[in-house]
Amino acid sequence: MSVLTTTRRALAIDGGTPVRKTLLPYGHQSIGEDDIQSVVDVLRSDWLTTGPKVAEFEEAFAARVGAKYAVSFSSGTAALHGAAFAAGLKPGDEAITTPMTFAATANCVLYQGATPIFADVSSDTLNLDPEKVAAKITPRTRALLPVDYAGHPADLAGLQELARRHHLIVIEDASHALGAEYRNRRVGSIADMTVFSFHPVKHLATGEGGMVTTDRADFAETLRRFRNHGISSDARQRQTEGQWHYEMVLLGFNYRLTDIASALGLSQLKKLDENLRRRREIAAGYADAFQDLGSITLPAVRSGSRPAWHLYPIRLKLEKLSVDRSHVFRALRAENIGVNVHYIPVHLHPYYRERFGTRNGEYPVAEKAYESLISLPMFHSMTDQDVGHVVEAVNKILQHYAR
Ligand SMILES: Cc1ncc(COP(=O)(O)O)c(C=O)c1O
């Protein structure tokens, strides 16, 4: 029997020695010398933005996820906005999404003047529950906006069936799920449009950045225009009118990704497989280490799904503990384990409460999960020692507060 279970060590929150000396963040980018060199090469080139690296990155990304087209954006949020625009969302329309996400997923519907409608999640994966979605479909519904929470693919078969029946467009927010697989298909090649984020805690980091993948040429064309002020520059017209010729054909934005960021993205993309391998190894290590810990529920993996493990969210069985989630959270932080919580359900943010009158009790599965969620550190450059520290701290704290 280990020393851990036989002797009670004082928790750091009570003045004891923390499990580790420095804070282990919940997520972190990994930038190698090769990444740095690729950015330096662009800085020495003729192009800082919208040069050859953007197209190169888009092509490589589309090939990696198995989509015909990939259109880059300056952030995942901008990419979501582009997808909402390309889907034709407009005032009077509704798009059904999950409350268990970052606010940007629902906000992109608002950017278009349309209305986000929430539906509750399934209790195992915390992804949109197709049955709850079905109950929210009205003649105004135009799109479904599932999120692959924590990197586990949404129930795409169920949602696509609904979309087919009701003529809806599926925009999958795969900000967590680059590299995930669903029924032997790669995320990015399944929904009408799939959105990715390249924020530093994601699988591929460009600082800020995002991408929309699609197999539809019309969506790709609209997305390209939308991210560039709504400008169309037709090669044939340029030949007849002159090389200076362009036309603004819709109201777009400057949502362009730079060549600097695209070079970093290309370099990071080469390491995606190794990154995913390591994240899956860490997830398996956690699952193994915590299998006998009765006071937590581990993240579920449905058969046919291969998650990308952006996050590792555990749920506390609060009835088996003498303290609440925020106390466990503070105790883990005191041990220098940089846990986080994903997510405060979107409908409970003051903006949504005030604008739509949403309140507690409307989405009970998401709300109950939120009360007990803690995201443990999960990033590909975590060492085995880092993982060991997380396991040690979680065991130490949960044994201490076990009822
Ligand atoms: C589910 C989800 N959607 C959208 C976004 C927005 O992405 P970005 O930060 O690249 O704008 C995030 C970012 O964290 C996210 O987690």
Side-chain angles (χ1 to χ4, degrees):
M1 197 181 272
S2 79
V3 180
L4 259 180
T5 51
T6 50
T7 56
R8 280 196 146 200
R9 285 191 293 147
L11 302 187
I13 198 171
D14 297 329
T17 309
V19 158
R20 52 183 282 137
K21 289 199 175 76
T22 56
L23 184 75
L24 177 69
Y26 87 92
H28 198 267
Q29 73 274 18
S30 308
I31 301 293
E33 284 308 316
D34 48 345
D35 298 315
I36 293 169
Q37 193 53 51
S38 65
V39 171
V40 169
D41 290 346
V42 169
L43 292 174
R44 295 209 167 99
S45 80
D46 289 336
W47 300 90
L48 293 186
T49 192
T50 325
K53 291 293 168 194
V54 172
E56 227 183 290
F57 181 37
E58 289 175 340
E59 265 172 45
F61 194 90
R64 178 63 180 79
V65 303
K68 276 195 188 149
Y69 309 99
V71 181
S72 60
F73 280 81
S74 52
S75 70
T77 304
L80 278 166
H81 189 186
F85 179 86
L89 286 181
K90 58 183 185 316
D93 290 342
E94 294 175 351
I96 302 176
T97 191
T98 165
M100 189 48 74
T101 186
F102 184 57
T105 313
N107 291 350
C108 77
V109 180
L110 292 176
Y111 297 156
Q112 284 303 111
T115 307
I117 302 291
F118 297 103
D120 212 344
V121 294
S122 303
S123 60
D124 58 343
T125 57
L126 303 185
N127 278 331
L128 258 186
D129 179 343
E131 274 187 29
K132 307 274 174 50
V133 171
K136 294 290 182 99
I137 292 174
T138 73
R140 290 183 297 281
T141 310
R142 193 173 183 93
L144 304 181
L145 236 167
V147 171
D148 303 322
Y149 175 74
H152 188 296
D155 189 340
L156 294 167
L159 296 170
Q160 282 187 314
E161 177 51 30
L162 286 174
R164 250 192 307 274
R165 228 183 299 148
H166 298 273
H167 309 290
L168 310 174
I169 290 166
V170 179
I171 302 170
E172 180 183 358
D173 182 347
S175 294
H176 296 184
L178 176 56
E181 287 162 37
Y182 178 79
R183 300 189 180 177
N184 294 320
R185 292 178 68 186
R186 285 170 279 174
V187 161
S189 68
I190 305 168
D192 295 305
M193 284 179 272
T194 309
V195 175
F196 297 90
S197 159
F198 308 137
H199 179 274
V201 295
K202 302 296 190 326
H203 300 76
L204 182 162
T206 62
E208 299 287 355
M211 193 77 83
V212 183
T213 59
T214 182
D215 277 353
R216 278 185 50 174
D218 56 338
F219 284 160
E221 181 62 19
T222 303
L223 289 162
R224 279 190 209 105
R225 289 175 177 177
F226 185 74
R227 62 126 187 243
N228 188 29
H229 307 278
I231 286 173
S232 124
S233 112
D234 184 274
R236 219 180 31 206
Q237 250 184 342
R238 277 216 310 270
Q239 264 187 350
T240 51
E241 307 278 341
Q243 281 305 317
W244 46 267
H245 193 269
Y246 66 85
E247 284 174 340
M248 187 194 130
V249 293
L250 55 86
L251 186 60
F253 291 77
N254 178 353
Y255 279 160
R256 296 185 302 256
L257 193 67
T258 63
D259 254 38
I260 303 168
S262 298
L264 184 52
L266 264 171
S267 175
Q268 291 255 301
L269 192 60
K270 293 186 188 129
K271 297 182 269 191
L272 179 62
D273 285 333
E274 174 52 24
N275 164 351
L276 288 162
R277 191 202 59 75
R278 178 61 181 155
R279 283 175 186 259
R280 288 177 177 138
E281 187 172 66
I282 294 168
Y286 280 153
D288 192 45
F290 295 137
Q291 62 181 338
D292 296 325
L293 197 57
S295 52
I296 59 174
T297 304
L298 301 177
V301 178
R302 284 196 182 176
S303 97
S305 287
R306 197 156 181 236
W309 298 110
H310 163 53
L311 302 171
Y312 196 85
I314 59 167
R315 274 180 274 174
L316 304 176
K317 292 182 183 163
L318 294 169
E319 68 285 1
K320 297 196 173 170
L321 297 168
S322 58
V323 291
D324 64 9
R325 187 266 311 276
S326 63
H327 193 94
V328 174
F329 182 94
R330 285 199 301 278
L332 281 162
R333 282 283 179 116
E335 302 291 345
N336 277 325
I337 305 300
V339 284
N340 212 316
V341 171
H342 301 90
Y343 287 95
I344 299 170
V346 179
H347 68 287
L348 298 181
H349 285 299
Y351 181 86
Y352 278 86
R353 284 179 188 266
E354 283 158 29
R355 183 159 169 188
F356 297 103
T358 45
R359 49 188 194 283
N360 255 308
E362 289 185 49
Y363 306 99
V365 182
E367 290 165 19
K368 182 159 182 280
Y370 165 62
E371 298 297 327
S372 65
L373 276 167
I374 290 187
S375 300
L376 300 183
M378 169 57 84
F379 53 97
H380 42 286
S381 57
M382 275 176 82
T383 64
D384 288 346
Q385 193 185 33
D386 294 334
V387 176
H389 285 149
V390 177
V391 170
E392 188 181 337
V394 169
N395 275 320
K396 180 182 172 189
I397 289 164
L398 295 185
Q399 283 171 14
H400 184 91
Y401 292 122
R403 263 201 223 268

